[in-house]
Amino acid sequence: MATHEVTNQVPDFVGHDLFATDPVLVDAIQRWGDARDADDLGGLGRLANAEPTQAHADRADRHTPILRTHDRTGRRIDEVDYDPSYHWLMARAIGHGLTAEAWTRPTGSGAHLRRAVGFHLWSQAEAGHLCPISMTYAAAPALRSNPTLAAEVLPRIASRHYDSPLAPLATKSGATMGMGMTEKQGGSDVRANTTVAVPDGDVHRLTGHKWFCSAPMSDAFLVLANTESGSSCFFVPRVLPDGERNRFAVQRLKDKLGNRSNASSEVEFEGTVGTLVGEEGRGIRTIIDMVASTRLDCVLGSAAGMRAALTRAIWHARHRSAFGARLVDQPLMQNVLADLALESEAATLLGLRLAAAVDHGDTDVSRLGVAVGKFWVCKRTPPVVAEALECLGGAGYVEENGLARLYREAPLNSIWEGSGNVNALDVVRALTRQPAALAALGKELALARGHSTTLDAAIDRVESAHAEALGADAQLRARRLVEHLAITLQAALLVQHSPAIVADAFVASRLGGEHGHTFGTLSGVSAAHAGALVDRAFLPA
């Protein structure tokens, strides 16, 4: 029923090239990567914001996975049914090389950066299905500790073909990987695990449970279990070489706040076949390489969540008027959007710099930087998304605008792969045990010296981080220390690689005190300056 003409409505946020409209991504490829990747990434950026993709993302989130423990005859099958849209999204992610392909490219080729930019872009389409994508990417370094196994598995997890049905690995054109670490009694304290593994010829038999096992329809998993030598890492396939299903009982799917398209589960092992990966008794050391890579994806995914929320807020403000002017032209809204833009650029730039470090084998930079970034960027995402949602008012609080899904997703990466406390303590541990990592961070920060006395003072404090980490109350103060490391590193990267209007505003607000306790409280910028920050953040088409 048409009673009157409706005006002042915002067009749907579709049809944008999320790569070309993001100068941070474009500049990173030019600076650290291979410029020839730009065309391919532009195609992915357009696909990520295409109307059909958005429809698949919405459907995959609304139609959640369904567990089928038995078939019609009562035979145990332990399969999860996904909506077809989930498979559509998975096929595109794998088809664009977002799994383990980067590990098969030469060091310094820019492959990890290209993959990081792609992961950032595709995360803005739908984040849940990227859990198995991330684990498949991250499994490669751990698998290399068993060369025979790596020779068989790596080509399949690096494939661009999505081969979803469960089948023996040798018959598959592509495969995905998962991880099983945490248990009920320990959670992040994996040394409290009680799953055991006993030798049986060339393999081991595992008995125990995993409290969180994401993507249970993956083709294989890296799992921690105890042998006589201690915690060890095992490769556990869903299907054995002879075609028999491995004993992998999916007891239930988790009913989660967000990340709903992804099936997180509880699984039980009873005589489950596993192959040792790495040195027996050093399973945590083996699987930590996988954790480091998934933590990098947590940084990238969180930065992508910020970006997705920010662009929707800017789009809305550019097309919505109130009190006689467009929202984007109103000074207070400009302050809010500019503040969010600073946070988003700093998060994205940090994630991409860490990916570039992986490309060039800068393990000291990535070792400490990933833990620092995982703590800080993931912590910042929920308030950023909440503020962006508020920019839309009531329209942001309904499902059809996409921000509600982003808001549910926002806390996830701060919990996955070690919560904030776990990551903060990991940083403190690295500062005391790996002095080369702090030295590498110091070299990165030194490149920004001379920008301002404010930044120089912040860098000076980082140089005393080793002493702080050795202090009697280091654990008590760990979050404050890691926060300072993160903000100072972000500031240094912005000074080196972003325009002065961005770097100056970030340093003044985040380190110089020209900021309040909420977003939109920048005190050192003019209206014109704020408007320029917003225009840079999401380049008009």
Side-chain angles (χ1 to χ4, degrees), residues 289-304:
D289 291 332
M290 184 176 188
V291 172
S293 294
T294 53
R295 282 180 173 179
L296 175 56
D297 275 359
C298 286
V299 177
L300 295 167
S302 291

Side-chain angles (χ1 to χ4, degrees), residues 24-258:
V24 185
L25 303 185
V26 174
D27 291 348
I29 289 294
Q30 297 291 334
R31 181 187 309 115
W32 293 313
D34 187 334
R36 293 172 294 183
D37 288 328
D39 288 343
D40 179 54
L41 290 168
L44 184 59
R46 290 187 292 275
L47 180 63
N49 193 240
E51 190 169 356
T53 303
Q54 295 302 307
H56 282 296
D58 182 69
R59 182 177 176 88
D61 183 71
R62 290 178 184 270
H63 296 83
T64 55
I66 298 172
L67 172 62
R68 291 190 299 123
T69 56
H70 298 77
D71 67 9
R72 64 178 182 81
T73 67
R75 182 173 61 96
R76 185 105 196 193
I77 56 173
D78 296 292
E79 292 188 1
V80 177
D81 289 337
Y82 296 94
D83 188 88
S85 287
Y86 173 90
H87 293 296
W88 188 94
L89 293 164
M90 285 286 292
R92 271 71 190 170
I94 292 174
H96 280 84
L98 301 187
T99 50
E101 180 185 283
W103 296 106
T104 66
R105 304 299 185 199
T107 300
S109 65
H112 289 279
L113 177 68
R114 182 217 160 272
R115 188 259 172 195
V117 172
F119 189 86
H120 185 281
L121 290 168
W122 198 240
S123 292
Q124 295 176 62
E126 199 281 325
H129 76 287
L130 286 166
C131 179
I133 298 299
S134 179
M135 290 189 292
T136 304
Y137 165 72
L143 287 172
R144 284 177 170 170
S145 60
N146 184 327
T148 301
L149 187 63
E152 176 189 0
V153 178
L154 187 55
R156 290 174 173 81
I157 64 173
S159 168
R160 290 196 175 200
H161 187 261
Y162 179 47
D163 188 357
S164 61
L166 291 177
L169 270 171
T171 69
K172 303 203 69 171
S173 58
T176 57
M177 291 283 300
M179 184 195 313
M181 293 178 63
T182 59
E183 297 183 5
K184 297 175 185 176
Q185 70 283 349
S188 295
D189 182 9
V190 293
R191 295 185 187 279
N193 284 358
T194 58
T195 297
V196 297
V198 297
D200 184 10
D202 293 335
V203 299
H204 282 70
R205 296 278 180 174
L206 278 63
T207 300
H209 69 274
K210 296 298 172 182
W211 183 234
F212 264 98
C213 178
S214 286
M217 288 295 284
S218 298
D219 293 288
F221 298 80
L222 291 181
V223 173
L224 289 179
N226 295 317
T227 67
E228 290 184 353
S229 300
S231 180
S232 304
C233 180
F234 293 91
F235 176 86
V236 175
R238 283 296 314 266
V239 182
L240 301 174
D242 62 3
E244 180 184 352
R245 296 285 180 94
N246 206 356
R247 294 183 179 180
F248 193 96
V250 183
Q251 301 293 40
R252 66 168 176 164
L253 301 185
K254 300 289 192 180
D255 187 7
K256 296 172 294 182
L257 169 67

